[in-house]
């Protein structure tokens, strides 16, 4: 008996959630992309009986037609960025690979799909001097105890916004100066933090018990004892980064980018940085290997016999 398209998608989503340990947000994103694919198949006549879908009918010519549809800038749905289109193609490839492995299709029709060429954008970062200025004596009065602890931890560990919000009090080890972070796909990793972050966190912990009127387990909370939400932290970061930079991007991810770039600029091994960031693939971390003028000068001074002139 033929399965419906919904059945195929549902079994695939169950697979990536249970077997691949994908996060709920990722599963929802995959579901939305595949639902859009099926919607196009119905409207364009490739599927006539929705309850009995043979994905052999949704072959390479269909997939190319769909990619052309979402890539056409003159069509209503053709307003996706190259990055979004690449993500949708990646989802299709993963789905068709699953269908082929399960023998629901005779050939993996998606294997010939080509990703659009992405424009490489260097991540926005703050310089070491900008961060030292923000976290130093000059702006000390501008930062609350909570703000300073959050910014120091972001920069000292490179954790994501969602990871900081969900960080539990019992997952910080002040003796060893480490935190246990639950990242994407619920994967846990241990990340060390430095002396300045340690000082700022201990200062914050002196007031945490006073604020924690709701007895929550999260490390960070607002003055009313409520869990911090992304928009509030984003606003706080933007306000404070505005003190030291004119860059248009002022977000927690800028601190994550700065953490990774500064580590690599100072000689850290890229594989170690990959593990600290919680990246699954080394290629994701390689975006931080761009050569900054400061790094070029440092390499030149260390290696060239007449470098003292620089």
């Amino acid at each position: 008996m033929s399965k419906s398209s919904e059945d195929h998608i549902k079994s695939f989503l169950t697979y990536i959630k249970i077997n691949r340990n994908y996060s709920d947000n990722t599963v929802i994103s995959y579901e939305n992309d595949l639902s859009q694919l099926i919607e196009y198949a119905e409207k364009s006549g490739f599927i006539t009986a929705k309850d009995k879908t043979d994905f052999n009918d949704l072959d390479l010519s269909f997939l190319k037609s769909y990619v052309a549809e979402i890539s056409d800038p003159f069509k209503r749905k053709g307003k996706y960025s190259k990055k979004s289109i690449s993500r949708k193609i990646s989802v299709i490839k993963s789905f068709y690979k699953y269908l082929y492995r399960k023998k629901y299709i005779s050939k993996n029709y998606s294997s010939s799909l080509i990703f659009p060429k992405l424009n490489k954008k260097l991540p926005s970062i703050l310089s070491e001097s900008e961060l030292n200025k923000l976290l130093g004596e000059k702006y000390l009065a501008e930062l609350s105890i909570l703000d300073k602890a959050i910014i120091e931890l972001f920069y000292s560990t490179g954790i994501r916004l969602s990871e900081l919000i969900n960080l539990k009090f019992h997952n910080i080890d002040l003796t060893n100066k480490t935190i246990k972070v639950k990242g994407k796909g619920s994967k846990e990793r241990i990340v060390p933090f430095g002396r300045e972050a340690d000082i700022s966190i201990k200062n914050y912990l002196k007031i945490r018990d006073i604020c924690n009127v709701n007895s929550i387990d999260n490390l960070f909370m607002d003055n009313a004892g409520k869990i911090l939400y992304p928009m509030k932290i984003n606003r706080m970061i933007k306000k404070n980064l505005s003190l030291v930079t004119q860059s248009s991007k002022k977000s927690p991810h800028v601190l994550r980018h700065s953490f990774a770039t500064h580590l690599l600029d100072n000689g850290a091994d890229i594989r170690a940085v990959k593990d600290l960031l919680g990246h699954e693939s080394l290629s994701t971390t390689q975006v931080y290997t761009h050569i900054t003028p400061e790094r070029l000068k440092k390499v030149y001074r260390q290696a060239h016999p007449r470098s003292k002139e620089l």
Side-chain angles (χ1 to χ4, degrees):
M1 176 182 278
S2 298
K3 286 187 175 183
S4 69
S5 57
E6 285 88 349
D7 288 336
H8 282 297
I9 292 174
K10 185 176 180 181
S11 63
F12 171 67
L13 296 176
T14 301
Y15 164 75
I16 62 173
K17 181 174 178 62
I18 295 176
N19 296 73
R20 301 295 299 277
N21 201 27
Y22 283 15
S23 69
D24 290 339
N25 287 339
T26 300
V27 172
I28 291 170
S29 177
Y30 272 53
E31 183 176 17
N32 291 337
D33 285 340
L34 292 174
S35 295
Q36 183 182 343
L37 178 74
I38 298 304
E39 180 185 349
Y40 174 74
E42 293 171 4
K43 289 183 178 180
S44 54
F46 284 91
I47 291 179
T48 54
K50 185 177 179 181
D51 60 330
K52 294 181 180 180
T53 303
D54 185 353
F55 276 90
N56 283 299
D57 296 332
L58 304 184
D59 57 11
L60 180 59
S61 62
F62 160 74
L63 294 176
K64 284 184 175 180
S65 174
Y66 173 68
V67 172
E69 172 79 9
I70 62 175
S71 303
D72 190 338
F74 297 103
K75 294 187 177 180
R76 181 177 63 84
K77 289 187 177 180
K79 296 180 180 178
Y80 299 107
S81 66
K82 289 182 178 180
K83 187 175 181 180
S84 294
I85 294 170
S86 291
R87 190 201 71 236
K88 290 177 184 295
I89 292 175
S90 179
V91 171
I92 291 171
K93 282 179 173 287
S94 181
F95 179 52
Y96 270 70
K97 185 177 180 181
Y98 169 81
L99 293 176
Y100 180 66
R101 192 166 56 246
K102 290 290 186 179
K103 301 187 185 305
Y104 294 133
I105 53 177
S106 58
K107 181 180 178 181
N108 184 358
Y109 305 106
S110 71
S111 60
S112 298
L113 288 181
I114 299 173
F115 292 100
K117 190 172 182 179
L118 298 176
N119 298 323
K120 290 186 178 179
K121 292 184 179 179
L122 295 179
S124 296
I125 66 168
L126 296 177
S127 67
E128 292 182 47
S129 61
E130 286 173 331
L131 277 159
N132 288 334
K133 186 187 298 183
L134 174 65
L135 297 169
E137 293 293 329
K138 183 175 181 180
Y139 293 110
L140 193 60
E142 301 286 341
L143 301 180
S144 70
I145 293 175
L146 173 62
D147 290 3
K148 194 170 193 307
I150 287 175
I151 294 173
E152 287 279 12
L153 194 63
F154 268 136
Y155 179 51
S156 190
T157 62
I159 58 176
R160 301 176 179 94
L161 173 59
S162 60
E163 293 169 346
L164 180 131
I165 288 174
N166 294 310
L167 184 63
K168 305 302 182 184
F169 175 73
H170 63 266
N171 283 336
I172 183 166
D173 183 344
L174 293 173
T175 302
N176 295 306
K177 295 185 179 62
T178 60
I179 53 174
K180 182 188 289 185
V181 181
K182 183 174 285 189
K184 290 186 176 181
S186 297
K187 293 180 180 178
E188 292 186 341
R189 67 186 190 278
I190 303 295
V191 185
F193 55 87
R195 176 179 175 276
E196 295 301 326
D198 180 50
I199 293 171
S200 296
I201 290 168
K202 286 177 178 175
N203 286 335
Y204 162 70
L205 290 178
K206 293 174 183 177
I207 65 169
R208 180 181 179 275
D209 287 343
I210 300 173
C211 297
N212 195 13
V213 294
N214 297 312
S215 300
I216 63 175
D217 192 33
N218 294 59
L219 175 63
F220 293 113
M221 64 194 71
D222 64 18
N223 292 336
K226 295 179 180 179
I227 296 173
L228 297 172
Y229 52 91
M231 189 178 295
K232 185 166 187 173
I233 295 180
N234 273 312
R235 283 201 301 259
M236 180 273 287
I237 295 293
K238 183 176 182 179
K239 180 191 75 173
N240 287 311
L241 295 194
S242 296
L243 296 171
V244 294
T245 181
Q246 298 298 316
S247 172
S248 59
K249 292 189 177 181
K250 305 178 186 72
S251 68
H253 229 63
V254 170
L255 295 172
R256 178 172 165 86
H257 293 327
S258 303
F259 162 83
T261 302
H262 295 168
L263 279 176
L264 291 168
D265 279 355
N266 286 286
D269 181 79
I270 190 171
R271 292 174 182 80
V273 177
K274 165 188 168 291
D275 292 340
L276 289 170
L277 291 170
H279 285 163
E280 191 169 318
S281 170
L282 189 64
S283 62
T284 309
T285 316
Q286 286 173 337
V287 70
Y288 298 110
T289 58
H290 57 283
I291 303 295
T292 61
E294 290 79 9
R295 191 177 183 187
L296 280 174
K297 289 181 180 180
K298 185 181 295 182
V299 171
Y300 183 87
R301 281 194 297 267
Q302 290 174 348
H304 198 281
R306 300 183 69 84
S307 63
K308 292 182 179 180
E309 296 176 7
L310 184 64

